[in-house]
């Protein structure tokens, strides 16, 4: 599994917005220059984040973007789901195969004969568990937690 460059840029843009010592917004030109990405590409990313309520667009000549909610309330999972989508990472496509039936315990196989709609894929079960652990980890990390860690490391040096 690999996240797109858009997710990378979105997270870095949010960290830049969260790190801004100014109380005002940051323009797309400054953001794109800082990240080394084109304004048009970054504008599309920021538009998605705005539609989902993560950033707010400030209109006007000196307009730009600002965080729409506190940095400690924006998780990595929030951002990833906006950019990558909210679909499951793994879907079993082999639940009716002979191999699948061989993997199932006999009791489960008998249950399948009585309730064919309740087929359980053991591979999917493992993958679902991994997905839930990944999501929990990404929920625990916020834009603010990254800023705090960076600040802590800077003050130690």
């Amino acid at each position: 599994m690999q996240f797109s460059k858009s997710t990378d840029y979105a997270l870095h843009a949010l960290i830049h917005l969260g790190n801004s010592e100014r109380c005002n917004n940051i323009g797309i030109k400054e953001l794109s220059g800082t990240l080394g990405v084109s304004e048009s590409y970054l504008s599309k990313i920021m538009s998605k984040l705005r539609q989902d309520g993560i950033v707010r667009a400030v209109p006007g000549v000196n307009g730009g973007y600002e965080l729409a909610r506190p940095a400690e309330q924006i998780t990595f999972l929030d951002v990833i789901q906006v950019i990558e989508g909210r679909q499951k990472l793994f879907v079993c496509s082999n639940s009716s195969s002979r191999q699948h039936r061989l993997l199932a315990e006999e009791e489960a196989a008998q249950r399948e004969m009585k309730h064919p709609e309740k087929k359980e894929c053991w591979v999917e079960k493992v993958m679902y568990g991994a997905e839930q652990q990944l999501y929990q980890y990404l929920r625990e990390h916020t834009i603010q937690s990254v800023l705090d860690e960076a600040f802590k490391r800077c003050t130690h040096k």
Side-chain angles (χ1 to χ4, degrees):
M1 170 182 53
Q2 184 174 351
F3 295 115
S4 67
K5 284 282 188 198
S6 295
T7 293
D8 179 25
Y9 293 136
L11 289 165
H12 281 92
L14 293 171
I15 288 167
H16 188 70
L17 290 174
N19 192 40
S20 175
E21 293 181 18
R22 301 177 278 168
C23 291
N24 56 354
N25 59 78
I26 298 175
I28 195 72
K29 186 179 229 77
E30 180 183 336
L31 270 175
S32 68
T34 301
L35 300 176
V37 62
S38 76
E39 286 181 41
S40 61
Y41 184 50
L42 188 58
S43 290
K44 291 174 187 170
I45 294 167
M46 298 307 286
S47 178
K48 284 183 177 184
L49 295 172
R50 183 189 54 74
Q51 289 169 3
D52 213 68
I54 293 176
V55 297
R56 181 176 23 249
V58 179
V61 176
N62 296 317
Y65 289 96
E66 62 187 10
L67 297 181
R69 51 188 201 232
E72 63 268 7
Q73 293 178 12
I74 303 172
T75 70
F76 272 53
L77 183 60
D78 293 335
V79 178
I80 290 166
Q81 288 182 329
V82 167
I83 303 299
E84 304 289 340
R86 290 176 170 84
Q87 70 276 4
K88 288 175 65 173
L89 297 179
F90 180 85
V91 178
C92 179
S93 60
N94 206 16
S95 62
S96 61
S97 73
R98 183 171 185 269
Q99 182 210 17
H100 184 272
R101 286 192 302 275
L102 292 173
L103 288 172
E105 296 173 335
E106 189 168 301
E107 183 181 322
Q110 289 174 356
R111 217 178 327 122
E112 277 185 16
M113 287 179 196
K114 293 177 187 172
H115 306 284
E117 70 281 352
K118 290 186 176 181
K119 293 181 181 175
E120 188 169 29
C121 176
W122 299 106
V123 173
E124 186 173 39
K125 197 172 182 178
V126 171
M127 297 302 282
Y128 177 77
E131 184 176 331
Q132 293 310 302
Q133 287 190 357
L134 172 63
Y135 287 171
Q136 183 57 40
Y137 184 83
L138 293 170
R139 259 186 228 103
E140 292 169 2
H141 291 81
T142 64
I143 299 303
Q144 189 63 53
S145 68
V146 171
L147 292 169
D148 291 346
E149 186 63 29
F151 179 74
K152 191 171 26 173
R153 289 178 189 243
C154 286
T155 57
H156 283 8
K157 289 184 179 179

